[in-house]
Amino acid sequence: METENKKSCCGSRCPRGKLFATNWLDGISSGNDFDVVEVVFKNTRMGFYTNPNRLDLKIGDMVAVEGAPGHDVGRVSMIGRLVRLQMKKANINSETELKKVFRIATQNDLEKAAEAADREEDTMIRSRKIAEELGLNMKIGDVEYQGDGGKAIFYYIADERVDFRKLIRILADTFKVRIEMKQIGARQEAGRIGGIGPCGRPLCCSSWMTHFVSVGTGAARVQDLSMNPQKLAGQCAKLKCCLNFEIDSYSEAQKKLPPKDITLETKDGTYYYFKPDILARKITYSTDKSIPANLVTIDASRAFEIIALNRQGIKVDSLDEADDKSKEKPVYVDLVEQESLTRFDNSKRRKRRRAPQDADRQQKGNAHKGGNAPKQADKNDNRPKNAEKTGDRNRQPRNKGNRNNKKGRPDQAGAQTQAENKG
C-alpha cells in the first residue's frame, strides 16, 4: 500500500522528501481546528482544499480532491492551524473559494492514479518530438496526469513568448485528454527533475522547498564569497537558493565589525582593511591597499580599541599587542580525569578499617624473623626508658610534697600533745 501511495502521489521516479512539511504543532493542533488542508501532488505542485465533510484526516493520508474537471489524487501534507499560516504566506485570503476534498482515496482511485503516472514518460517524449516538428522554441520539461487520467499538465520552459495553440490541438488529438500548458522557471525545472547538490544531499527544491525566492549577487557579497559563477551557480544555472539561508546571520554579525574604509595607525606604519572572518569576528589588515603585505589578523574588539586610540592621536606599537590576560592561553582542565569513578566504592573503606590489623600482623611476622627482631626490640626498649624519665619528672613535685608533709608531721604531733595537756 505504501509503494502505491508514493507512486500515485509523487511518481515512482522522484518522490518528495520527508522534510516537506513538519507539524511542529503535533499534539496541540488537530485537523478540527481549521477546515482547510494542504495537499501535495507530484513534485512541487500543491494546493489548499476545504474539508466540508469533516473527515478525520492526518498527515500522509491519500485523498481524492476536486479537479478541473473530474478528481485528482494527492497526499495530505499539512493540517490544523499550520495551514492558516501557509495560506497567509502564499497570499491566499480566507474568503477565496477553494476546491473540496471528496473522500479518502480508495483502492480503485489509487490504481487509476498509478496507471496515469505510468504514461507520463512516454507522453513527454512524444510531445517533445511534436514541438520540435512545429519549430517551437520551447522545452517540455515534465508531464503530469491528473488522478483520474482525464487531464494532463505539460510543464515547459521558454525564453520568449510561444504561440502553442496549434500544439495544444495536436496533443489533444494524440493523447485524447484535456491539455493544460504551464510555464515554469529553471529553478522549478530542477525541482521537478531532482538531483544531488554539491553538498552531497538531495536538492532543496526537490526535497522540501515549494516557494522560490529570487537570489541576487548581493547575498554572496554579504557573506564574503568569491564571485565565481561555477561555484555560486546550481544545477539550474542560477544562483544557489542556499545563499539566502544564512544571509541574515552574516548581515547581523557584520554590524559588529569595524568599517572597511577606516585605517589603523601604528608607529610602524598604516594598516588597511584586507579580509574579514565575519562569524569569528576577526579582521586581517595589510600594509598595502591592493596586495597582501605584512598581514596581521586581530579581533574586532582590538580593532575598535585601536580606532579609539587613533582618534585621540595615539599610535600603538603594533596591532597584535594586547593585554596580558588576552595573551594567556586558557588552561584545559579535564574534570573527569581528576575524579575517579570508583572513589565511592566500599573496597577502599574496608581497606582503611583493616589497616591496623594488617600492621599488627606485620609486626608479629617480623618478630618471628631474626633480621628485624633486634631493631624492633631496641625501639621497644627505648620506649620504657623514655617512660621512666617522664615518670621521674612527674614524681619530683610529688617528692617535694612528701618532704613538706614530713616536715609538717612533728608540728602536727606537737599540737596534738599540747591540746591533750590542756585538756
Side-chain angles (χ1 to χ4, degrees), residues 70-268:
H71 72 275
D72 202 351
V73 177
R75 180 175 62 87
V76 178
S77 59
M78 195 171 295
I79 59 175
R81 285 178 283 178
L82 287 178
V83 181
R84 184 181 299 170
L85 299 176
Q86 286 294 102
M87 292 178 64
K88 185 177 179 180
K89 184 179 179 180
N91 297 326
I92 298 177
N93 298 328
S94 58
E95 299 178 357
T96 304
E97 186 177 357
L98 302 175
K99 297 180 181 180
K100 303 176 183 179
V101 176
F102 289 148
R103 60 186 177 275
I104 296 177
T106 60
Q107 185 65 27
N108 188 21
D109 296 334
L110 297 176
E111 290 177 357
K112 286 184 178 180
E115 292 176 0
D118 293 337
R119 293 185 292 169
E120 292 175 355
E121 186 175 0
D122 181 61
T123 303
M124 180 183 65
I125 295 173
R126 295 174 62 184
S127 62
R128 285 180 177 178
K129 293 181 180 180
I130 295 172
E132 185 179 359
E133 292 175 357
L134 296 175
L136 299 177
N137 188 15
M138 59 182 295
K139 175 187 175 182
I140 298 177
D142 196 7
V143 177
E144 180 183 359
Y145 273 92
Q146 198 170 260
D148 57 356
K151 178 182 176 181
I153 303 175
F154 291 82
Y155 298 93
Y156 71 95
I157 300 173
D159 297 333
E160 301 176 356
R161 186 171 180 176
V162 180
D163 185 8
F164 45 76
R165 289 178 291 181
K166 186 177 180 180
L167 176 63
I168 292 176
R169 291 195 298 268
I170 297 175
L171 293 177
D173 295 338
T174 304
F175 302 109
K176 307 298 181 183
V177 292
R178 185 183 178 91
I179 305 299
E180 180 181 352
M181 304 295 294
K182 183 176 291 187
Q183 186 176 4
I184 59 176
R187 300 183 188 277
Q188 293 175 336
E189 182 190 16
R192 302 192 69 82
I193 295 174
I196 303 297
C199 58
R201 303 185 64 179
L203 298 178
C204 297
C205 54
S206 64
S207 58
W208 60 274
M209 286 185 66
T210 56
H211 303 284
F212 299 96
V213 182
S214 60
V215 184
T217 56
R221 291 192 181 94
V222 170
Q223 301 178 44
D224 196 26
L225 299 176
S226 61
M227 305 304 291
N228 188 352
Q230 296 180 354
K231 293 184 178 181
L232 297 180
Q235 296 185 2
C236 57
K238 302 289 183 180
L239 293 176
K240 296 178 182 178
C241 296
C242 56
L243 293 177
N244 285 340
F245 294 168
E246 298 179 353
I247 186 172
D248 295 334
S249 300
Y250 275 87
S251 59
E252 187 69 21
Q254 198 171 21
K255 295 178 181 178
K256 300 179 181 179
L257 298 179
K260 297 182 179 180
D261 56 346
I262 296 180
T263 60
L264 303 183
E265 300 292 339
T266 63
K267 295 180 180 180
D268 298 334

Side-chain angles (χ1 to χ4, degrees), residues 337-352:
E337 294 180 355
Q338 293 181 357
E339 299 294 342
S340 175
L341 297 177
T342 60
R343 63 185 184 277
F344 295 114
D345 294 347
N346 295 327
S347 59
K348 288 189 175 183
R349 296 182 180 178
R350 292 175 181 175
K351 289 181 180 179
R352 291 176 182 176

Side-chain angles (χ1 to χ4, degrees), residues 23 25 28-37 51-58 78-84:
N23 187 12
L25 288 178
I28 301 175
S29 175
S30 61
N32 298 326
D33 296 343
F34 195 54
D35 60 348
V36 180
V37 296
N51 186 12
N53 300 326
R54 293 292 179 179
L55 300 174
D56 187 13
L57 300 178
K58 298 178 182 178
M78 195 171 295
I79 59 175
R81 285 178 283 178
L82 287 178
V83 181
R84 184 181 299 170

